[in-house]
Amino acid sequence: MKDEISNEIKNDGDLGKDKEIACEEAADNKEAASEAVDEAANGAGNAAENEAVNEVNDETGCEAACEASLKEEIDNLKSQLEEKTKKCEEYFSMLQRTAAEFDNYKKRTVKEKEAIYTDAMSDVVASFLPVVDNIERALLASEKEADFKALREGIELIYRQFKEIMTKLGVEEIKALGEKFDPNLHNAVMHIEDSEYEENVIVEEFQKGYKFKDKVIRHSMVKVAN
């Protein structure tokens, strides 16, 4: 009986030791598991932190790249603006010079036209001065002498001289008598019915007409047969 009790106590002691060992092992496993969980949590946290840091770095790099690209674009725009501004200033300066040159050209042209007109008028008047001189001589001669023949010869001389001057100037008489009526050259002031003449033929000239090249200075005043 005593041996049985001793065995039972021994068995109970061994069982207690086994339970104690099992508890210790369970505690160790629990601690290992807790450490594993902590390590896993720490790993996950570090990974998340690293990922966040990487994202921040990526965003920072993207912002830096965008800023660099934007700065480059702004610099290009500034350069283009400066170039266009310079071109505009050159064109404006060119326009000012052209306007000034054109204004000078207009003034110079007006002066040249005035000078040409003055020179032309002077030449024409100078051409007729000898005629005026001869008319004055004829008038003086008519006061001293009553010779009609000499007076007529003087007038004929003046008339020939006058016509020579007009020919030199390019002034021509418009042909009228016996010519077909031309409204561009003639001015019909009278009409007659005469079978001896063809229709629209000029039969009498009342006043001579003159033209300078193709420009009519004065139309001939004529009588036309119908």
Side-chain angles (χ1 to χ4, degrees), residues 47-61:
E49 183 178 357
N50 292 333
E51 185 178 356
V53 171
N54 292 333
E55 289 180 356
V56 170
N57 291 333
D58 292 340
E59 290 179 358
T60 304

Side-chain angles (χ1 to χ4, degrees), residues 159-171:
Y159 179 67
R160 288 195 301 270
Q161 189 179 20
F162 190 87
K163 291 188 70 174
E164 288 174 359
I165 292 172
M166 289 204 304
T167 300
K168 289 179 180 179
L169 293 173
V171 179

Side-chain angles (χ1 to χ4, degrees), residues 14 50 69 105 107 120 129 143 145 151 155 212 221:
D14 293 336
N50 292 333
S69 176
Y105 167 77
K107 293 178 180 178
L129 288 179
E143 292 177 356
E145 300 177 5
L151 183 60
I155 293 174
F212 176 70
M221 191 179 296

Side-chain angles (χ1 to χ4, degrees), residues 107-199:
K107 293 178 180 178
R108 185 172 62 252
T109 302
V110 170
K111 291 182 179 180
E112 289 176 354
K113 286 182 178 179
E114 292 177 353
I116 291 172
Y117 178 78
T118 302
D119 292 342
M121 286 296 296
S122 299
D123 292 340
V124 171
V125 172
S127 299
F128 283 104
L129 288 179
V131 178
V132 175
D133 294 338
N134 287 332
I135 292 174
E136 289 177 350
R137 294 189 186 100
L139 290 172
L140 291 173
S142 66
E143 292 177 356
K144 298 177 182 179
E145 300 177 5
D147 188 352
F148 178 77
K149 183 178 180 181
L151 183 60
R152 179 181 176 84
E153 288 177 353
I155 293 174
E156 288 178 349
L157 175 63
I158 294 171
Y159 179 67
R160 288 195 301 270
Q161 189 179 20
F162 190 87
K163 291 188 70 174
E164 288 174 359
I165 292 172
M166 289 204 304
T167 300
K168 289 179 180 179
L169 293 173
V171 179
E172 302 177 11
E173 287 185 7
I174 296 174
K175 294 180 180 180
L177 193 61
E179 300 289 330
K180 283 282 188 179
F181 175 76
D182 184 353
N184 296 318
L185 302 174
H186 310 120
N187 181 20
V189 295
M190 291 184 65
H191 295 268
I192 61 168
E193 298 288 343
D194 195 333
S195 59
E196 293 182 3
Y197 300 99
E198 296 180 3
E199 188 176 1

